[in-house]
Amino acid sequence: QKEVEQDPGPLSVPEGAIVSLNCTYSNSAFQYFMWYRQYSRKGPELLMYTYSSGNKEDGRFTAQVDKSSKYISLFIRDSQPSDSATYLCAMSNQGGKLIFGQGTELSVKP
Amino acid sequence: DTGVSQDPRHKITKRGQNVTFRCDPISEHNRLYWYRQTLGQGPEFLTYFQNEAQLEKSRLLSDRFSAERPKGSFSTLEIQRTEQGDSAMYLCASSLADRGLETQYFGPGTRLLVL
């Protein structure tokens, strides 16, 4: 079993929809939780960064962490075609190496 | 600040050949990471440096792989006697590790194809 599980999709939604992306994990030592966006043939770029449990909002993006359930989520409001990409969750316990999920491929149709 | 750069962006080689990749981190970042990403998968950690010291290596990093970061600046990743299974995207990331949060910034990657 992988330390971090993420549904690979693909996920297809119409423009303007609310998108929900999720990851589960098994290592209770993880304290830092991140979401990266990766366009085709590019390196990942950081979207959201959360320490421990709670919510964090940045524009159309909201990240949630529930450590008791070992579950993290990323919500995208008013999705746009430019949001079409692969979304990767990543975690670490005290900085250092990141453990990534498989990535969810998202397509937002105009 | 131009971000993390990697060279080359693409490399095609024949099985058994040696290849070397270079990563230039964001200036003043003290940590440098190497990850490998295969199609449809998330990046997997290979190794990382704090300044010039290699602090951790993954079990994925066989003895055919070696990484260096002389003088704590750029880093090189060498693969000797390449195999078809080495075909992947090799990603470099850098960060400024201090107390608290550490954000890793990724380069564009080097895509390796071993024929």
Side-chain angles (χ1 to χ4, degrees):
Chain A
Q1 183 184 5
K2 292 183 178 180
E3 277 191 285
V4 180
E5 299 278 358
Q6 184 176 6
D7 186 339
L11 181 62
S12 182
V13 301
E15 182 176 356
I18 297 174
V19 176
S20 172
L21 304 167
N22 311 292
C23 289
T24 58
Y25 62 95
S26 57
N27 187 347
S28 57
F30 286 145
Q31 296 184 68
Y32 300 96
F33 304 91
M34 286 136 276
W35 286 95
Y36 282 83
R37 177 174 62 194
Q38 186 174 28
Y39 291 112
S40 181
R41 299 183 176 274
K42 304 289 186 183
E45 62 174 316
L46 182 68
L47 275 178
M48 301 287 284
Y49 195 143
T50 308
Y51 172 68
S52 194
S53 286
N55 295 357
K56 186 174 183 179
E57 186 173 327
D58 184 3
R60 296 185 295 112
F61 298 90
T62 299
Q64 290 184 349
V65 175
D66 182 347
K67 290 190 71 178
S68 63
S69 301
K70 298 191 182 67
Y71 187 88
I72 71 170
S73 301
L74 178 71
F75 298 95
I76 307 174
R77 290 185 298 280
D78 187 25
S79 55
Q80 302 295 310
S82 58
D83 294 328
S84 298
T86 295
Y87 289 79
L88 298 155
C89 63
M91 310 177 189
S92 70
N93 54 4
Q94 49 184 349
K97 68 182 180 186
L98 296 177
I99 308 300
F100 283 86
Q102 185 176 353
T104 299
E105 184 182 347
L106 172 67
S107 176
V108 181
K109 303 294 187 184
Chain B
D1 189 346
T2 57
V4 178
S5 61
Q6 293 187 244
D7 184 70
R9 295 291 307 278
H10 305 274
K11 179 71 177 178
I12 300 175
T13 192
K14 293 183 179 180
R15 189 176 54 183
Q17 298 295 305
N18 298 345
V19 294
T20 300
F21 308 141
R22 176 180 170 123
C23 172
D24 286 272
I26 294 171
S27 59
E28 299 182 358
H29 276 191
N30 56 355
R31 284 191 177 177
L32 188 149
Y33 297 81
W34 286 100
Y35 293 85
R36 180 171 66 189
Q37 185 177 26
T38 53
L39 198 61
Q41 301 297 316
E44 291 179 299
F45 169 77
L46 292 178
T47 188
Y48 88 97
F49 295 83
Q50 179 149 323
N51 300 313
E52 64 273 12
Q54 190 172 18
L55 294 189
E56 187 175 352
K57 293 196 297 185
S58 165
R59 287 170 297 192
L60 292 175
L61 213 64
S62 76
D63 57 5
R64 295 185 298 106
F65 288 71
S66 62
E68 293 181 342
R69 192 184 183 198
K71 302 179 183 178
S73 55
F74 71 92
S75 176
T76 58
L77 178 68
E78 181 183 17
I79 309 174
Q80 296 182 325
R81 306 181 302 281
T82 52
E83 301 174 355
Q84 288 184 325
D86 297 331
S87 296
M89 169 89 96
Y90 289 83
L91 292 162
C92 175
S94 72
S95 71
L96 180 61
D98 198 344
R99 293 176 296 275
L101 301 183
E102 173 192 352
T103 302
Q104 293 185 27
Y105 296 90
F106 282 81
T110 294
R111 188 172 295 276
L112 173 67
L113 177 61
V114 181
L115 301 177

